[in-house]
Amino acid sequence: MPIYSSNRFGMRSATLKWIVLTGAVVIGLIIAIQLYWLNHIYKLEQKQFDTNVVKSVRGLFEDMSLSDSPGSHLQQMITMRPSPNTFVIRISNLPPEDTLAFYLTNELMDFDVLTECNVALYDKTKRYYIFQQNIASPASAPAVASATLEIYPADYHYILLHFPDRSAYILSQMNLWIIGSTVLVLVLIGLAISLFYFYKQKFLIEIQKDFVNNFTHEFKTPLAVMKIASEVLGQPGIIKQPGRMEKYTSIITHETEHLQNQVERLLKMAVSEQNVLRVEMESIPVKELIDQAISKLQPLVEARGAKIEIKIEAEDVAVKADKTHLELAIVNLIENGIKYSSVPLIIIEAGKCGSDSFISVKDNGVGIDKRFFKNIFKKFYRVPTGDVHNVKGFGLGLNFVKKIVDAHNGKIVVNSVPGIGTEFKIILPG
């Protein structure tokens, strides 16, 4: 069970989380808008390319006698667009081949269609291309066509213009836009990553601050009690009051043990952070394990008037585990159950679940809301419960329990109802 504290840290964390989330959404929207405009500009460039080709074809009709109806609308002449890269232009008369290539090269250059063009002349009577040529660029000399162009059968003569690199050419016209957008997107992605990193670091700093405050509180109180007790024991007449002396001696002993236990927890946590928890597996009677865990908590049980019930399916039930570590895990669960209950009732159950073994610790404490389940095993995590600080600790207990269970290749299941109680169930492989 996590340590309970104020909502202040949770509120700070939630506010920061919303700020980072809002920033990430804004960055995402900016990137989406930028990509939308790139796509829009690409479509405009496509239209501009097609318009320039149409203007080149118009100039070609003006330069040569290609139609018997000079007044015909040019759009009626472009009869087919088999693909975005291909134009089929209807003509009435077959022009001289060299003249066609010459004028077409000039017209494409005049209207800035500066990309490779495959031109072909279709004869309706022969039903094939009587002329094919590749224009590498409007500024270069005509060359023999290197590609075989698809024939589109028709009952009229036509000129076919095919631009194989149309898309690449259009993209090259957008180089500045693409480079600028790429830089902007990379910067925004970097900013988003920085925001996430900032949030993570800020979250860790807040946890560390919270831990230091809790650490100070946890150690300050026992030390203050020990100081007062030692002052009493230092009084000249204390030796004549054996009952009083025994009382204050036991106080110092209890507080010393408490501090020693807390230091051991911190040291074990530090070791588990550096290495995989090492376990020495052996068969252990569950009853013996539970009895030893309870005996270690006997002073706390008596002080809180706790009632502990043990329900084991059979006296000879055993688990294969590391005795020291598993006992520590059970101690943590029982201790939490006692500390977080006003009139503690702890029910410990153990037995077999198929081929697996289980140990369950139930309490009648304050319970944990379901929304906190995913965090309760995190180091230093404390379930927010307003400004209540009735229970001290570091928020390390359940984190260490989880590490022990993981080291045994087991799992720990949580069931809890706020105001009713909590159950932690350790399941270990047979």
mmCIF file of all heavy atoms in Angstrom, residues 291-321:
data_model
loop_
_atom_site.group_PDB
_atom_site.id
_atom_site.type_symbol
_atom_site.label_atom_id
_atom_site.label_comp_id
_atom_site.label_asym_id
_atom_site.label_seq_id
_atom_site.Cartn_x
_atom_site.Cartn_y
_atom_site.Cartn_z
ATOM 1 N N ASP A 291 4.086 -17.140 10.267
ATOM 2 C CA ASP A 291 4.298 -16.981 11.708
ATOM 3 C C ASP A 291 5.521 -16.113 12.002
ATOM 4 O O ASP A 291 5.493 -15.255 12.900
ATOM 5 C CB ASP A 291 4.474 -18.356 12.364
ATOM 6 C CG ASP A 291 3.158 -19.130 12.450
ATOM 7 O OD1 ASP A 291 2.095 -18.477 12.322
ATOM 8 O OD2 ASP A 291 3.201 -20.362 12.628
ATOM 9 N N GLN A 292 6.589 -16.332 11.250
ATOM 10 C CA GLN A 292 7.802 -15.539 11.466
ATOM 11 C C GLN A 292 7.573 -14.071 11.101
ATOM 12 O O GLN A 292 8.078 -13.176 11.773
ATOM 13 C CB GLN A 292 8.946 -16.126 10.646
ATOM 14 C CG GLN A 292 9.458 -17.453 11.181
ATOM 15 C CD GLN A 292 10.613 -18.001 10.367
ATOM 16 O OE1 GLN A 292 11.010 -17.418 9.361
ATOM 17 N NE2 GLN A 292 11.149 -19.138 10.782
ATOM 18 N N ALA A 293 6.813 -13.823 10.029
ATOM 19 C CA ALA A 293 6.519 -12.446 9.633
ATOM 20 C C ALA A 293 5.703 -11.745 10.711
ATOM 21 O O ALA A 293 5.973 -10.581 11.057
ATOM 22 C CB ALA A 293 5.759 -12.443 8.304
ATOM 23 N N ILE A 294 4.715 -12.461 11.276
ATOM 24 C CA ILE A 294 3.870 -11.863 12.317
ATOM 25 C C ILE A 294 4.682 -11.595 13.574
ATOM 26 O O ILE A 294 4.510 -10.552 14.237
ATOM 27 C CB ILE A 294 2.671 -12.786 12.630
ATOM 28 C CG1 ILE A 294 1.746 -12.864 11.412
ATOM 29 C CG2 ILE A 294 1.895 -12.283 13.847
ATOM 30 C CD1 ILE A 294 0.626 -13.866 11.549
ATOM 31 N N SER A 295 5.590 -12.516 13.929
ATOM 32 C CA SER A 295 6.393 -12.333 15.143
ATOM 33 C C SER A 295 7.253 -11.076 15.058
ATOM 34 O O SER A 295 7.480 -10.403 16.067
ATOM 35 C CB SER A 295 7.273 -13.565 15.381
ATOM 36 O OG SER A 295 8.266 -13.673 14.359
ATOM 37 N N LYS A 296 7.716 -10.763 13.870
ATOM 38 C CA LYS A 296 8.531 -9.551 13.708
ATOM 39 C C LYS A 296 7.704 -8.278 13.888
ATOM 40 O O LYS A 296 8.254 -7.212 14.163
ATOM 41 C CB LYS A 296 9.186 -9.546 12.327
ATOM 42 C CG LYS A 296 10.300 -10.570 12.191
ATOM 43 C CD LYS A 296 11.092 -10.382 10.909
ATOM 44 C CE LYS A 296 12.283 -11.323 10.875
ATOM 45 N NZ LYS A 296 13.110 -11.162 9.671
ATOM 46 N N LEU A 297 6.402 -8.401 13.695
ATOM 47 C CA LEU A 297 5.521 -7.239 13.819
ATOM 48 C C LEU A 297 4.754 -7.233 15.135
ATOM 49 O O LEU A 297 3.827 -6.445 15.301
ATOM 50 C CB LEU A 297 4.534 -7.222 12.645
ATOM 51 C CG LEU A 297 5.119 -6.964 11.263
ATOM 52 C CD1 LEU A 297 4.076 -7.240 10.179
ATOM 53 C CD2 LEU A 297 5.615 -5.526 11.137
ATOM 54 N N GLN A 298 5.128 -8.127 16.064
ATOM 55 C CA GLN A 298 4.367 -8.268 17.299
ATOM 56 C C GLN A 298 4.225 -6.970 18.085
ATOM 57 O O GLN A 298 3.129 -6.651 18.577
ATOM 58 C CB GLN A 298 5.000 -9.357 18.181
ATOM 59 C CG GLN A 298 4.082 -9.897 19.264
ATOM 60 C CD GLN A 298 2.795 -10.474 18.698
ATOM 61 O OE1 GLN A 298 2.798 -11.117 17.656
ATOM 62 N NE2 GLN A 298 1.681 -10.223 19.373
ATOM 63 N N PRO A 299 5.294 -6.160 18.214
ATOM 64 C CA PRO A 299 5.122 -4.887 18.942
ATOM 65 C C PRO A 299 4.072 -3.982 18.294
ATOM 66 O O PRO A 299 3.265 -3.366 18.998
ATOM 67 C CB PRO A 299 6.517 -4.255 18.867
ATOM 68 C CG PRO A 299 7.444 -5.411 18.700
ATOM 69 C CD PRO A 299 6.705 -6.385 17.850
ATOM 70 N N LEU A 300 4.072 -3.924 16.963
ATOM 71 C CA LEU A 300 3.089 -3.088 16.266
ATOM 72 C C LEU A 300 1.692 -3.680 16.412
ATOM 73 O O LEU A 300 0.709 -2.945 16.594
ATOM 74 C CB LEU A 300 3.456 -2.978 14.783
ATOM 75 C CG LEU A 300 2.517 -2.140 13.901
ATOM 76 C CD1 LEU A 300 2.493 -0.690 14.366
ATOM 77 C CD2 LEU A 300 2.946 -2.218 12.430
ATOM 78 N N VAL A 301 1.596 -5.013 16.360
ATOM 79 C CA VAL A 301 0.294 -5.674 16.530
ATOM 80 C C VAL A 301 -0.297 -5.349 17.893
ATOM 81 O O VAL A 301 -1.485 -5.015 18.023
ATOM 82 C CB VAL A 301 0.451 -7.213 16.348
ATOM 83 C CG1 VAL A 301 -0.837 -7.934 16.732
ATOM 84 C CG2 VAL A 301 0.836 -7.547 14.921
ATOM 85 N N GLU A 302 0.529 -5.433 18.930
ATOM 86 C CA GLU A 302 0.052 -5.151 20.287
ATOM 87 C C GLU A 302 -0.288 -3.681 20.471
ATOM 88 O O GLU A 302 -1.293 -3.329 21.095
ATOM 89 C CB GLU A 302 1.117 -5.581 21.300
ATOM 90 C CG GLU A 302 1.332 -7.092 21.344
ATOM 91 C CD GLU A 302 2.453 -7.485 22.273
ATOM 92 O OE1 GLU A 302 3.089 -6.563 22.872
ATOM 93 O OE2 GLU A 302 2.723 -8.684 22.418
ATOM 94 N N ALA A 303 0.572 -2.807 19.911
ATOM 95 C CA ALA A 303 0.346 -1.372 20.059
ATOM 96 C C ALA A 303 -0.951 -0.920 19.394
ATOM 97 O O ALA A 303 -1.648 -0.040 19.914
ATOM 98 C CB ALA A 303 1.524 -0.594 19.471
ATOM 99 N N ARG A 304 -1.304 -1.533 18.265
ATOM 100 C CA ARG A 304 -2.512 -1.122 17.535
ATOM 101 C C ARG A 304 -3.730 -1.983 17.861
ATOM 102 O O ARG A 304 -4.804 -1.747 17.343
ATOM 103 C CB ARG A 304 -2.248 -1.187 16.025
ATOM 104 C CG ARG A 304 -1.187 -0.217 15.517
ATOM 105 C CD ARG A 304 -1.613 1.239 15.706
ATOM 106 N NE ARG A 304 -2.937 1.479 15.135
ATOM 107 C CZ ARG A 304 -3.153 1.758 13.850
ATOM 108 N NH1 ARG A 304 -2.136 1.843 13.027
ATOM 109 N NH2 ARG A 304 -4.381 1.968 13.413
ATOM 110 N N GLY A 305 -3.522 -3.000 18.688
ATOM 111 C CA GLY A 305 -4.626 -3.889 19.024
ATOM 112 C C GLY A 305 -5.140 -4.628 17.803
ATOM 113 O O GLY A 305 -6.359 -4.843 17.655
ATOM 114 N N ALA A 306 -4.218 -5.020 16.940
ATOM 115 C CA ALA A 306 -4.607 -5.656 15.676
ATOM 116 C C ALA A 306 -5.004 -7.108 15.897
ATOM 117 O O ALA A 306 -4.472 -7.802 16.765
ATOM 118 C CB ALA A 306 -3.454 -5.576 14.683
ATOM 119 N N LYS A 307 -5.954 -7.560 15.101
ATOM 120 C CA LYS A 307 -6.383 -8.954 15.115
ATOM 121 C C LYS A 307 -5.961 -9.589 13.797
ATOM 122 O O LYS A 307 -6.257 -9.061 12.728
ATOM 123 C CB LYS A 307 -7.893 -9.040 15.293
ATOM 124 C CG LYS A 307 -8.419 -10.467 15.374
ATOM 125 C CD LYS A 307 -9.926 -10.495 15.567
ATOM 126 C CE LYS A 307 -10.435 -11.937 15.633
ATOM 127 N NZ LYS A 307 -11.910 -11.992 15.773
ATOM 128 N N ILE A 308 -5.282 -10.718 13.886
ATOM 129 C CA ILE A 308 -4.787 -11.395 12.671
ATOM 130 C C ILE A 308 -5.367 -12.800 12.607
ATOM 131 O O ILE A 308 -5.259 -13.571 13.560
ATOM 132 C CB ILE A 308 -3.248 -11.454 12.654
ATOM 133 C CG1 ILE A 308 -2.664 -10.032 12.649
ATOM 134 C CG2 ILE A 308 -2.756 -12.227 11.428
ATOM 135 C CD1 ILE A 308 -1.151 -9.979 12.651
ATOM 136 N N GLU A 309 -5.982 -13.101 11.467
ATOM 137 C CA GLU A 309 -6.533 -14.436 11.231
ATOM 138 C C GLU A 309 -5.731 -15.101 10.111
ATOM 139 O O GLU A 309 -5.459 -14.481 9.094
ATOM 140 C CB GLU A 309 -8.008 -14.346 10.836
ATOM 141 C CG GLU A 309 -8.904 -13.762 11.924
ATOM 142 C CD GLU A 309 -10.360 -13.699 11.477
ATOM 143 O OE1 GLU A 309 -10.665 -14.188 10.363
ATOM 144 O OE2 GLU A 309 -11.183 -13.151 12.235
ATOM 145 N N ILE A 310 -5.403 -16.365 10.342
ATOM 146 C CA ILE A 310 -4.634 -17.113 9.344
ATOM 147 C C ILE A 310 -5.484 -18.270 8.824
ATOM 148 O O ILE A 310 -6.015 -19.064 9.598
ATOM 149 C CB ILE A 310 -3.326 -17.659 9.945
ATOM 150 C CG1 ILE A 310 -2.469 -16.509 10.491
ATOM 151 C CG2 ILE A 310 -2.544 -18.454 8.908
ATOM 152 C CD1 ILE A 310 -1.225 -16.975 11.222
ATOM 153 N N LYS A 311 -5.632 -18.316 7.496
ATOM 154 C CA LYS A 311 -6.417 -19.378 6.869
ATOM 155 C C LYS A 311 -5.543 -20.061 5.812
ATOM 156 O O LYS A 311 -5.290 -19.493 4.754
ATOM 157 C CB LYS A 311 -7.670 -18.801 6.208
ATOM 158 C CG LYS A 311 -8.607 -18.102 7.196
ATOM 159 C CD LYS A 311 -9.829 -17.521 6.477
ATOM 160 C CE LYS A 311 -10.750 -16.808 7.454
ATOM 161 N NZ LYS A 311 -11.934 -16.234 6.759
ATOM 162 N N ILE A 312 -5.106 -21.256 6.130
ATOM 163 C CA ILE A 312 -4.251 -22.016 5.212
ATOM 164 C C ILE A 312 -4.964 -23.308 4.854
ATOM 165 O O ILE A 312 -5.509 -23.994 5.728
ATOM 166 C CB ILE A 312 -2.879 -22.312 5.851
ATOM 167 C CG1 ILE A 312 -2.172 -20.985 6.202
ATOM 168 C CG2 ILE A 312 -2.003 -23.118 4.899
ATOM 169 C CD1 ILE A 312 -0.840 -21.164 6.867
ATOM 170 N N GLU A 313 -4.969 -23.623 3.575
ATOM 171 C CA GLU A 313 -5.709 -24.791 3.094
ATOM 172 C C GLU A 313 -5.239 -26.075 3.772
ATOM 173 O O GLU A 313 -6.036 -26.948 4.094
ATOM 174 C CB GLU A 313 -5.554 -24.911 1.565
ATOM 175 C CG GLU A 313 -6.275 -23.809 0.803
ATOM 176 C CD GLU A 313 -6.094 -23.948 -0.701
ATOM 177 O OE1 GLU A 313 -5.340 -24.839 -1.131
ATOM 178 O OE2 GLU A 313 -6.712 -23.152 -1.440
ATOM 179 N N ALA A 314 -3.928 -26.210 3.957
ATOM 180 C CA ALA A 314 -3.372 -27.392 4.618
ATOM 181 C C ALA A 314 -2.084 -26.999 5.312
ATOM 182 O O ALA A 314 -1.359 -26.116 4.853
ATOM 183 C CB ALA A 314 -3.115 -28.503 3.596
ATOM 184 N N GLU A 315 -1.828 -27.615 6.461
ATOM 185 C CA GLU A 315 -0.647 -27.264 7.255
ATOM 186 C C GLU A 315 0.654 -27.492 6.486
ATOM 187 O O GLU A 315 1.658 -26.843 6.750
ATOM 188 C CB GLU A 315 -0.634 -28.094 8.540
ATOM 189 C CG GLU A 315 -1.702 -27.697 9.549
ATOM 190 C CD GLU A 315 -1.454 -26.320 10.139
ATOM 191 O OE1 GLU A 315 -0.286 -25.931 10.314
ATOM 192 O OE2 GLU A 315 -2.438 -25.607 10.416
ATOM 193 N N ASP A 316 0.631 -28.456 5.553
ATOM 194 C CA ASP A 316 1.866 -28.780 4.842
ATOM 195 C C ASP A 316 2.048 -28.014 3.537
ATOM 196 O O ASP A 316 2.911 -28.352 2.731
ATOM 197 C CB ASP A 316 1.925 -30.285 4.560
ATOM 198 C CG ASP A 316 0.761 -30.743 3.684
ATOM 199 O OD1 ASP A 316 -0.205 -29.960 3.522
ATOM 200 O OD2 ASP A 316 0.822 -31.882 3.173
ATOM 201 N N VAL A 317 1.206 -26.974 3.320
ATOM 202 C CA VAL A 317 1.351 -26.164 2.102
ATOM 203 C C VAL A 317 2.709 -25.473 2.130
ATOM 204 O O VAL A 317 3.094 -24.858 3.132
ATOM 205 C CB VAL A 317 0.233 -25.115 1.988
ATOM 206 C CG1 VAL A 317 0.516 -24.159 0.832
ATOM 207 C CG2 VAL A 317 -1.104 -25.784 1.794
ATOM 208 N N ALA A 318 3.430 -25.589 1.013
ATOM 209 C CA ALA A 318 4.769 -24.997 0.930
ATOM 210 C C ALA A 318 4.901 -24.221 -0.384
ATOM 211 O O ALA A 318 4.174 -24.469 -1.347
ATOM 212 C CB ALA A 318 5.840 -26.074 1.016
ATOM 213 N N VAL A 319 5.806 -23.270 -0.385
ATOM 214 C CA VAL A 319 6.101 -22.501 -1.597
ATOM 215 C C VAL A 319 7.589 -22.609 -1.886
ATOM 216 O O VAL A 319 8.407 -22.774 -0.967
ATOM 217 C CB VAL A 319 5.712 -21.009 -1.457
ATOM 218 C CG1 VAL A 319 4.222 -20.853 -1.367
ATOM 219 C CG2 VAL A 319 6.405 -20.371 -0.259
ATOM 220 N N LYS A 320 7.931 -22.516 -3.146
ATOM 221 C CA LYS A 320 9.334 -22.516 -3.535
ATOM 222 C C LYS A 320 9.752 -21.069 -3.727
ATOM 223 O O LYS A 320 9.313 -20.399 -4.671
ATOM 224 C CB LYS A 320 9.518 -23.311 -4.828
ATOM 225 C CG LYS A 320 10.975 -23.628 -5.135
ATOM 226 C CD LYS A 320 11.102 -24.589 -6.304
ATOM 227 C CE LYS A 320 12.570 -24.955 -6.541
ATOM 228 N NZ LYS A 320 12.717 -25.877 -7.686
ATOM 229 N N ALA A 321 10.581 -20.584 -2.810
ATOM 230 C CA ALA A 321 10.918 -19.156 -2.847
ATOM 231 C C ALA A 321 12.174 -18.900 -2.033
ATOM 232 O O ALA A 321 12.731 -19.791 -1.397
ATOM 233 C CB ALA A 321 9.756 -18.343 -2.297
#
